[in-house]
């Protein structure tokens, strides 16, 4: 354990030095975690006629996305990149959301919540709503083991797309066709590796893996309600970690802070990189 911890520390020091800032590692992890979703939104915006009403915005380091066809879903109508250096540009960006009839939420790194930023958010009518943990682990192989009745398969590129999409949407309990379409687009991005978890021989869980800048991202995963608690997601995590070890330095995943998912990941060696707070209008 001591050797593993030292190895992880050396990697973090090296990556911080390469990045040139004290936030180098968290920033790289963040970019890797956001890449898949950002690419999907850009693809959706480029569809003929933009049927989902997607707008991608950037202003002075602030990044925003609007999905007019899903105006009440916070993880699509979201602003990130806020800091003390650009908070004065936030009101103008928020106007874009108001003009499109969508409810904007923000994600803010805990380290960026200064008195000035907090006061500005309060004045704009925002309150802290929930916290998101970004976790990382040094890439390395694990012993392959699964609970009884659980198997995992990586899907060949372009194959079993309908089965994968059906399981993933069912696990999330997504019923809105626009929401399903956007999720499907996200997992059809080039470079996304898709996995199915089988419970007693039937497809019951789905998950994905992407790699960006040498960092693997354990992307969105879900299990259909009737198969939850059987160990399919743990098996999917182990399988993807082993695959990530062949191409990546680090592995990143995001989850609700203090959730059972975070505890499960920490048991597999993941550690906290940083915390983001989600802010919503009061």
């Amino acid at each position: 354990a001591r050797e593993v911890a030292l190895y992880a520390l050396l990697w973090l020091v090296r990556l911080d030095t390469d990045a040139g800032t004290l936030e180098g590692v968290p920033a790289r992890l963040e970019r890797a975690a956001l890449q898949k979703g950002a690419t999907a939104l850009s693809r959706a915006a480029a569809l003929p006629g933009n049927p989902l009403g997607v707008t991608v915005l950037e202003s002075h380091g602030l990044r925003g996305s609007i999905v007019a066809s899903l105006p009440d879903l916070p993880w699509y109508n979201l602003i990130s990149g806020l800091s003390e250096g650009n908070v004065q540009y936030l009101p103008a960006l928020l106007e874009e959301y108001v003009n499109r009839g969508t409810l904007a939420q923000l994600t803010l790194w805990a380290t960026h919540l200064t008195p000035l930023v907090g006061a500005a958010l309060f004045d704009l009518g925002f309150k802290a709503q929930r916290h998101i943990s970004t976790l990382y682990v040094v890439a390395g192989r694990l012993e392959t083991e699964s609970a009884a009745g659980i198997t995992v398969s990586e899907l060949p590129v372009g194959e079993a797309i309908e089965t994968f999409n059906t399981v993933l949407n069912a696990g999330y309990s997504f019923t809105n066709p626009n929401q399903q379409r956007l999720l499907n687009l996200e997992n059809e991005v080039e470079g996304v590796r898709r996995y199915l978890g089988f419970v007693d021989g039937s497809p019951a869980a789905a998950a994905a893996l992407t790699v960006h800048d040498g960092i693997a991202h354990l992307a969105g995963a879900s299990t259909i309600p009737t198969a939850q608690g059987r160990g399919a997601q743990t098996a999917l995590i182990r399988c993807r970690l082993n695959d990530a070890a062949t191409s990546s330095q680090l592995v990143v995943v995001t989850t609700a802070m203090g959730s059972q998912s975070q505890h499960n990941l920490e048991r597999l060696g993941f550690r906290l990189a940083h915390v983001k707070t989600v802010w919503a209008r009061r």
Side-chain angles (χ1 to χ4, degrees):
R2 187 176 304 166
E3 290 177 353
V4 171
L6 178 59
Y7 179 60
L9 178 60
L10 288 173
W11 261 119
L12 291 175
V13 170
R14 175 180 171 182
L15 292 173
D16 272 333
T17 302
D18 292 344
T21 70
L22 292 177
E23 289 186 341
V25 174
R28 287 187 63 196
L29 295 171
E30 183 79 354
R31 287 192 294 270
L34 294 177
Q35 180 71 17
K36 176 168 168 280
T39 302
L41 287 170
S42 296
R43 286 189 65 207
L47 291 173
N50 193 6
L52 296 177
V54 176
T55 303
V56 179
L57 305 165
E58 290 196 25
S59 174
H60 301 87
L62 291 168
R63 295 172 297 279
S65 59
I66 299 174
V67 181
S69 63
L70 298 165
D72 300 322
L73 288 183
W75 52 88
Y76 290 133
N77 299 292
L78 196 66
I79 296 171
S80 62
L82 184 64
S83 68
E84 193 167 290
N86 59 21
V87 68
Q88 69 267 34
Y89 302 107
L90 181 58
L93 192 63
L94 288 171
E95 280 298 314
E96 299 288 344
Y97 288 79
V98 173
N99 294 338
R100 290 169 174 80
T102 57
L103 296 175
Q105 292 199 1
L106 301 102
T107 59
L108 179 66
W109 285 25
T111 52
H112 291 169
L113 181 57
T114 65
L116 188 153
V117 171
L121 288 174
F122 180 83
D123 290 343
L124 289 167
F126 282 86
K127 66 175 180 179
Q129 187 179 64
R130 63 185 187 278
H131 304 286
I132 300 172
S133 298
T134 296
L135 307 171
Y136 78 96
V137 70
V138 175
R141 296 190 62 83
L142 296 174
E143 292 184 12
T144 302
E145 60 178 53
S146 296
I150 305 297
T151 58
V152 172
S153 294
E154 180 178 4
L155 301 176
V157 176
E159 294 188 15
I161 293 175
E162 184 175 351
T163 300
F164 178 88
N165 290 342
T166 298
V167 171
L168 191 64
N169 279 289
Y172 281 128
S173 298
F174 288 171
T175 57
N176 184 306
N178 291 328
Q179 193 171 8
Q180 292 177 344
R181 187 175 184 184
L182 195 51
L183 183 65
N184 296 347
L185 276 173
E186 184 174 328
N187 289 287
E188 293 167 8
V189 172
E190 184 178 355
V192 175
R193 298 174 66 174
R194 298 172 300 116
Y195 299 76
L196 275 178
F198 296 81
V199 176
D200 298 330
S202 298
L209 171 69
T210 59
V211 178
H212 177 73
D213 190 24
I215 297 177
H217 174 214
L218 303 189
S222 74
T223 303
I224 62 175
T226 55
Q228 291 176 3
R230 292 284 302 273
Q233 283 303 325
T234 298
L236 282 165
I237 291 170
R238 286 182 172 274
C239 180
R240 288 178 293 163
L241 283 175
N242 286 337
D243 287 349
T246 65
S247 62
S248 308
Q249 303 165 341
L250 300 170
V251 183
V252 63
V253 64
T254 60
T255 187
M257 186 175 181
S259 64
Q260 185 61 48
S261 177
Q262 178 171 340
H263 297 324
N264 292 339
L265 289 161
E266 287 175 341
R267 282 200 291 269
L268 292 173
F270 280 83
R271 294 295 177 261
L272 185 67
H274 69 85
V275 175
K276 292 187 296 186
T277 301
V278 178
W279 295 71
R281 285 280 174 85
R282 291 195 298 273

